[in-house]
Amino acid sequence: MNFFMSPDVTLAAKLLEVVYMITGLVLIYTGVKNYLDKENDKKYGTAFFWIVLGIVVGLGKWIPVQVVGALVVIMTIPAVIGQVGYKTNDMPKKEYSQKISDRLGYKIFIPALTIGIAAVACALFTKLGALVGVGVGVCLAMIFLSLMNKENTMGVYLKDSKRFLDLVGPLSMLPMFLASLGAVFTKAGVGESVSSLVGAAIPEGNVVIGIIVYAIGMALFTMVMGNAYAAITVMTVGIGAPFVLAHGANPTLIGSLALTCGFCGTLMTPMAANFNIVPVAILEMKDKNGVLKNQFVPAIIMLVVQIAIMIVFS
């Protein structure tokens, strides 16, 4: 309780930890429910994975980093050997879903919009930050859902949370891993290594070629890491700063567009699980690469356009 009672800790930090703790409880709930599912032949590995992940997410701040690292490593073992899965999934019947859809119409999008609006509002107009805003938005969305349909109770929300986590499976932890990877790469000096390799190929002082290599590198590195925010640190240190920004290019413009180039890479990689794998699982698509196939050509077009804008306005 010292953390929550301390005047030195900001309200935003305290609320963010509350969000993490609630998230951890939902993950633990998913593990327990899978363990109690007698039809699940992978219940032990599944329960272990979700419960350990819940402990790490919910209590990670108070657990020694060495212990967290060990928990993360052993947590992946059931996933690697294919022992994380589900059997019982509380999917609503199609007739019921159609009935609710006909009654609510476009009002069904109000809860989803509420989450986004709350996140943006907290980020722009308060000191709480976007992540706390997402938590606030989820709470408001739950209230709206309950008002729109009296059958929406806390039990329904927990069942749906478990259902979506089961559908996504161990891939749900991939964004966290990839975000950490960017910091690890930067600390390890990958940016400097990239700079030394690229320096031999880019003519000195040629900003246009520097921009092209920087933009394409952002897309490719994002495809490898699955996260543009992780890639931009490494690529800016290795290419952006010495070969583009050092020659007078606008850092605000170049940085923003470089990140967008990274997002083009996001559209073309299965490593971006939250964009390209999660929809496949949730929609139960037959073609596991269906999302990627439909995004590939638009992503290439967007990348070319971003490069052109960078060159023209740099």
Side-chain angles (χ1 to χ4, degrees):
M1 291 299 294
N2 291 335
F3 173 81
F4 293 102
M5 299 300 293
S6 174
D8 298 325
V9 181
T10 64
L11 177 62
K14 294 175 182 177
L15 291 177
L16 186 58
E17 287 304 322
V18 172
V19 171
Y20 286 144
M21 292 170 72
I22 294 173
T23 304
L25 289 174
V26 172
L27 292 167
I28 292 173
Y29 168 84
T30 302
V32 172
K33 290 295 290 184
N34 274 291
Y35 177 77
L36 296 176
D37 185 2
K38 296 180 180 179
E39 297 183 17
N40 189 352
D41 56 352
K42 299 178 180 179
K43 65 178 184 178
Y44 296 110
T46 305
F48 180 81
F49 174 81
W50 290 118
I51 290 173
V52 173
L53 181 58
I55 292 172
V56 171
V57 171
L59 300 175
K61 184 175 182 62
W62 295 279
I63 301 176
V65 292
Q66 295 86 352
V67 176
V68 170
L71 288 175
V72 170
V73 171
I74 63 175
M75 175 181 67
T76 62
I77 295 175
V80 171
I81 62 177
Q83 289 302 305
V84 178
Y86 67 93
K87 196 69 175 181
T88 302
N89 205 290
D90 298 310
M91 177 72 72
K93 294 183 178 179
K94 291 184 178 180
E95 295 79 9
Y96 176 79
S97 298
Q98 188 62 51
K99 174 185 174 182
I100 298 299
S101 176
D102 293 339
R103 180 160 64 85
L104 295 179
Y106 288 112
K107 289 189 292 185
I108 193 63
F109 293 106
I110 293 176
L113 288 172
T114 300
I115 298 175
I117 292 171
V120 173
C122 285
L124 295 179
F125 305 114
T126 74
K127 296 181 179 180
L128 298 180
L131 287 179
V132 173
V134 170
V136 173
V138 169
C139 293
L140 291 174
M142 291 168 62
I143 294 173
F144 285 136
L145 284 168
S146 297
L147 293 174
M148 293 162 65
N149 184 1
K150 299 298 182 182
E151 296 180 35
N152 287 330
T153 62
M154 185 58 67
V156 171
Y157 300 140
L158 288 173
K159 286 181 180 178
D160 277 348
S161 297
K162 173 188 177 296
R163 177 164 64 88
F164 280 111
L165 286 170
D166 282 339
L167 286 170
V168 179
L171 288 173
S172 59
M173 62 192 288
L174 188 56
M176 293 181 284
F177 276 0
L178 294 173
S180 302
L181 190 60
V184 173
F185 275 18
T186 302
K187 190 72 174 179
V190 174
E192 288 80 359
S193 299
V194 171
S195 178
S196 62
L197 291 173
V198 174
I202 298 180
E204 183 66 29
N206 194 320
V207 179
V208 173
I209 295 180
I211 287 174
I212 294 173
V213 174
Y214 182 31
I216 295 176
M218 271 297 302
L220 293 176
F221 214 72
T222 299
M223 292 176 69
V224 172
M225 302 183 72
N227 189 309
Y229 293 108
I232 193 167
T233 305
V234 176
M235 296 307 295
T236 300
V237 170
I239 301 176
F243 300 105
V244 181
L245 302 181
H247 298 289
N250 187 324
T252 303
L253 174 70
I254 295 298
S256 300
L257 292 174
L259 192 59
T260 308
C261 292
F263 295 152
C264 294
T266 299
L267 298 174
M268 299 185 286
T269 176
M271 293 295 286
N274 48 332
F275 289 100
N276 304 325
I277 302 301
V278 172
V280 172
I282 293 176
L283 298 175
E284 298 181 346
M285 296 172 60
K286 293 181 179 180
D287 186 355
K288 293 184 178 181
N289 295 313
V291 172
L292 291 171
K293 291 177 181 177
N294 283 281
Q295 292 176 166
F296 189 85
V297 173
I300 294 295
I301 295 173
M302 289 172 59
L303 179 60
V304 172
V305 171
Q306 299 304 315
I307 293 175
I309 294 174
M310 291 171 76
I311 292 173
V312 171
F313 293 99
S314 63

